[in-house]
Amino acid sequence: MAQQDEIFKKLVSHSKEYGFIYPSSEVYDGLAAVYDYGPYGSLLKNNIKEYWWKAMVQLNENIVGIDAAIFMHPKTWKASGHVDAFNDPMLDNKDSKKRFRADQLIEGVIEKLQDKINKEVEKAAKRFGDSFDEKMFRKTNPRCVEYAAKAADIDHRMNLHMKNGDMVGLKSMIDELEIADPDTGSRNWTEVRQFNLMFHTQLGNIAGEESKLYLRPETAQGIFVNFLNVQKSTRQKIPFGIAQIGKAFRNEIVARQFIFRMREFEQMEMQFFIRPGTQQDWYAKWKETRMAWHLALGTPQSKLRFKDHDNLAHYADAAVDVQFEFPFGFRELEGIHSRTDFDLGAHQELSGKKMQYFDPELGENYVPFVVETSIGCDRMFLAMMSHAFTEEDVPDAKGEDAKRTVLKLHPALAPVKCAVLPLLKNKEELTSAAMKIFNDLRYVVNCQYDEKDAIGRRYRRQDAIGTPYCITVDFQTLEDNTVTIRDRDTLQQERIKIEDIERIVLQKTDMRRLLEKL
Ligand code: ATP
């Protein structure tokens, strides 16, 4: 884990140094859990959004997109349950004055037990060599069995308290498990209390509850309240979906781990409206579809897994997370939820307006059920960056060229697709030939022209931002209209004709290739 921590630190500083992510308002020492995307970061983020949007909206005739406002009528959040139930259990340490989430502290104990099991497994694997049967060992080794039973018991009790909103129960678990502030070791805790995660502000200059506005904590409600507008204006028939990408805000109690948990973030959500009773099939279908979307990017299956929710939210009859193995372990990347008719039903009741659909095939009206897929754009960004970040030795290279840091991003997501580099800076024939290629290519893909420093250094700069191709213009170019093209991952250089550059670059970097895999 220490090594993973080290890699994560390097990734955070690399993100800043190379213009991917900066702390917000850094001149004022930053703002906790708020970040700004730099020149390459915003390009990568836009590419992630484009991949999601095209996979959802462009490739499905029965999914349409919207862009709803961040502010919504305050009653929206009453109906959705957020005013009453969008809470996390928090407590303060009286000595360190730090605030924690009770469930996360308890989960920390479970993680420690799991670490202990993994250590036992590692030791045994070394001892037994090839004949080691890990499954059997986990099932029969007395220590593993004891730790696993303890972890399961803690998990079960915690989930029960969470479900029942039992703050006293959570506090007694923290006392019983002797949980201390991880930084100071103090066990001097306050009681556990519920903390609502919604930010609020005031409409105009009217004071009071009536004009209390919330910054949306999820984009989904903008879709629910527009369900009939969209259905009527696009004449969609059930089943159909509405997709949206937009900002959401949550006053997270503990915001750590860089852009994993932010107070202002972006969601890519799709609500799929279906006939009541068909939710199990659609839930299974969307699980499969979303996993295929992740795998098409070349992310290995071993880094992705489904994790069913033990503790269902008030609106769901089934829910699963797509977890990704971040440098700090497997964590939620995306949620897939079967939301029943909870949201439309609640808006119908509170607004007094019908939220029903007339099904021409059945000849009846009903409030549709919903299966949703909801992924954080920033978490997807972090997943892609942490998977891509690689430090490696360069074969046959010496000195500072012997090592490189390279972002092995999927070429369709890479911020810059291609760099055009004249071999030497002060040879006008070379720079003008390179500039000509660059000026032509920039109409097709996002590319860069770079003539500063030695060629090896320029290659390293492009590796560091994940550019899949470098085109080098040398003296031979002037004779036979060929250039070399260097592949970021294989480091192979090939000589190709200038007229073939566009086709070759597009072959790998075009979003179309990625979408065709779905
Ligand atoms: P978590 O359990 O991590 O708080 P959640 O279950 O509350 O997440 P959802 O409400 O299902 O998350 O939101 C859908 C997606 O939005 C998540 O899978 C995640 O990718 C993203 N997301 C949620 N909260 C944040 C946050 N504070 N910062 C960044 N992304 C977030």
Side-chain angles (χ1 to χ4, degrees):
M1 207 56 190
Q3 200 193 354
Q4 288 298 313
D5 283 351
E6 203 48 44
I7 291 176
F8 190 50
K9 270 191 203 142
K10 281 185 183 169
L11 174 66
V12 175
S13 64
H14 187 92
S15 298
K16 184 174 166 210
E17 187 182 348
Y18 285 94
F20 283 85
I21 296 172
Y22 311 122
S24 155
S25 354
E26 201 187 3
V27 290
Y28 297 105
D29 298 330
L31 182 63
V34 185
Y35 291 90
D36 297 335
Y37 285 83
Y40 298 120
S42 50
L43 286 165
L44 170 57
K45 197 178 181 203
N46 281 338
N47 291 340
I48 290 172
K49 291 197 254 185
E50 184 187 340
Y51 174 43
W52 185 88
W53 188 265
K54 288 192 166 162
M56 281 292 177
V57 180
Q58 195 165 311
L59 296 189
N60 292 292
E61 306 87 272
N62 63 346
I63 299 182
V64 291
I66 65 163
D67 183 12
I70 287 171
F71 288 136
M72 300 183 71
H73 193 288
K75 281 187 179 167
T76 309
W77 306 109
K78 186 76 191 155
S80 68
H82 284 81
V83 171
D84 299 319
F86 195 52
N87 301 317
D88 275 341
M90 65 161 217
L91 76 172
D92 294 318
N93 187 282
K94 291 186 201 160
D95 296 328
S96 69
K97 310 273 179 258
K98 277 203 184 140
R99 184 158 283 183
F100 294 86
R101 253 172 73 175
D103 54 331
Q104 285 179 350
L105 286 177
I106 298 171
E107 274 164 6
V109 177
I110 298 173
E111 268 170 32
K112 273 193 197 134
L113 287 165
Q114 266 146 7
D115 283 348
K116 280 187 180 175
I117 296 175
N118 292 339
K119 276 205 187 110
E120 293 291 335
V121 172
E122 254 172 56
K123 265 199 288 176
K126 267 195 202 139
R127 213 172 338 125
F128 295 115
D130 286 346
S131 61
F132 182 55
D133 180 346
E134 186 181 325
K135 244 189 191 163
M136 184 59 86
F137 182 82
R138 281 179 186 270
K139 253 201 247 160
T140 53
N141 175 272
R143 272 197 219 119
C144 287
V145 173
E146 184 198 325
Y147 296 146
K150 202 166 172 196
D153 171 60
I154 295 172
D155 194 41
H156 172 74
R157 285 193 290 142
M158 181 189 75
N159 280 320
L160 209 64
H161 294 322
M162 291 290 286
K163 201 169 175 177
N164 298 334
D166 182 355
M167 299 298 110
V168 176
L170 287 173
K171 177 65 193 331
S172 64
M173 283 188 78
I174 286 173
D175 293 337
E176 169 210 317
L177 296 168
E178 301 185 339
I179 298 175
D181 178 330
D183 297 330
T184 64
S186 158
R187 283 197 229 135
N188 192 7
W189 297 111
T190 61
E191 293 311 304
V192 179
R193 49 195 192 283
Q194 294 278 29
F195 177 78
N196 192 287
L197 300 186
M198 280 198 293
F199 284 102
H200 53 84
T201 183
Q202 218 64 36
L203 177 67
N205 54 5
I206 321 157
E209 278 301 303
E210 268 302 288
S211 60
K212 193 171 181 180
L213 281 191
Y214 296 99
L215 270 71
R216 65 179 178 197
E218 62 176 25
T219 53
Q221 298 305 324
I223 289 181
F224 290 125
V225 298
N226 275 302
F227 155 70
L228 277 182
N229 280 338
V230 175
Q231 190 269 323
K232 284 182 183 146
S233 56
T234 58
R235 300 203 312 263
Q236 288 286 350
K237 287 206 178 81
I238 271 175
F240 79 95
I242 306 179
Q244 177 171 214
I245 299 177
K247 290 264 182 167
F249 304 82
R250 295 182 188 179
N251 200 359
E252 300 281 2
I253 298 168
V254 186
R256 275 194 254 114
Q257 292 160 330
F258 197 34
I259 57 167
F260 180 80
R261 191 171 298 288
M262 301 158 93
R263 296 204 164 97
E264 171 179 341
F265 58 101
E266 216 161 349
Q267 288 185 316
M268 307 191 281
E269 294 200 297
M270 194 281 302
Q271 273 68 36
F272 201 68
F273 298 88
I274 55 175
R275 267 186 203 160
T278 61
Q279 65 269 33
Q280 265 183 9
D281 290 346
W282 284 111
Y283 179 66
K285 153 111 184 25
W286 279 109
K287 272 176 75 176
E288 193 189 311
T289 307
R290 293 303 302 147
M291 187 54 94
W293 185 87
H294 288 287
L295 292 173
L297 286 165
T299 310
Q301 180 72 74
S302 60
K303 282 196 153 256
L304 290 160
R305 70 181 188 197
F306 285 120
K307 169 93 175 42
D308 285 319
H309 283 207
D310 305 313
N311 197 8
L312 285 180
H314 58 277
Y315 52 75
D317 73 356
V320 68
D321 291 340
V322 177
Q323 292 191 332
F324 175 83
E325 191 177 18
F326 290 96
F328 37 84
F330 272 99
R331 295 283 189 284
E332 172 176 347
L333 169 60
E334 170 159 13
I336 300 165
H337 312 125
S338 171
R339 284 180 87 127
T340 66
D341 58 356
F342 174 83
D343 303 86
L344 291 181
H347 287 307
Q348 176 168 276
E349 196 176 320
L350 196 64
S351 68
K353 310 263 165 43
K354 284 236 174 314
M355 288 280 183
Q356 290 188 337
Y357 167 80
F358 177 74
D359 192 322
E361 281 174 37
L362 297 182
E364 63 183 59
N365 282 306
Y366 55 78
V367 177
F369 270 39
V370 170
V371 170
E372 79 171 1
T373 74
S374 172
I375 175 167
C377 187
D378 313 270
R379 273 194 202 172
M380 185 62 194
F381 187 108
L382 183 58
M384 292 299 94
M385 284 290 275
S386 53
H387 180 53
F389 185 78
T390 313
E391 289 178 311
E392 63 184 20
D393 295 330
V394 180
D396 307 325
K398 288 197 191 88
E400 67 168 25
D401 285 346
K403 280 207 180 302
R404 68 168 185 158
T405 302
V406 50
L407 285 185
K408 294 189 174 176
L409 290 165
H410 189 287
L413 297 188
V416 178
K417 306 300 184 202
C418 173
V420 184
L421 318 168
L423 185 62
L424 299 171
K425 178 179 167 181
N426 38 21
K427 285 275 179 242
E428 211 276 324
E429 315 91 282
L430 294 183
T431 54
S432 63
M435 198 42 111
K436 192 161 171 289
I437 294 172
F438 168 68
N439 277 330
D440 190 42
L441 208 54
R442 71 202 306 186
Y443 287 103
V444 186
V445 290
N446 191 32
C447 55
Q448 274 192 352
Y449 173 85
D450 188 6
E451 58 176 32
K452 276 175 245 114
D453 301 321
I455 193 79
R457 227 192 228 179
R458 282 181 271 164
Y459 287 153
R460 295 290 168 275
R461 272 205 293 269
Q462 295 301 331
D463 285 344
I465 60 166
T467 307
Y469 288 119
C470 287
I471 305 285
T472 305
V473 172
D474 55 17
F475 290 103
Q476 197 177 325
T477 311
L478 308 176
E479 285 164 24
D480 63 4
N481 280 329
T482 62
V483 290
T484 63
I485 184 163
R486 171 187 178 270
D487 183 292
R488 177 195 70 194
D489 301 335
T490 64
L491 292 170
Q492 295 298 316
Q493 299 209 22
E494 246 186 274
R495 195 157 268 285
I496 60 167
K497 289 192 194 132
I498 290 177
E499 67 207 52
D500 289 336
I501 297 176
E502 182 179 321
R503 182 180 51 79
I504 292 172
V505 170
L506 277 181
Q507 214 160 43
K508 234 194 201 176
T509 63
D510 197 355
M511 187 70 74
R512 181 188 172 127
R513 301 280 164 261
L514 186 53
L515 293 166
E516 277 171 353
K517 286 200 212 156
L518 297 176

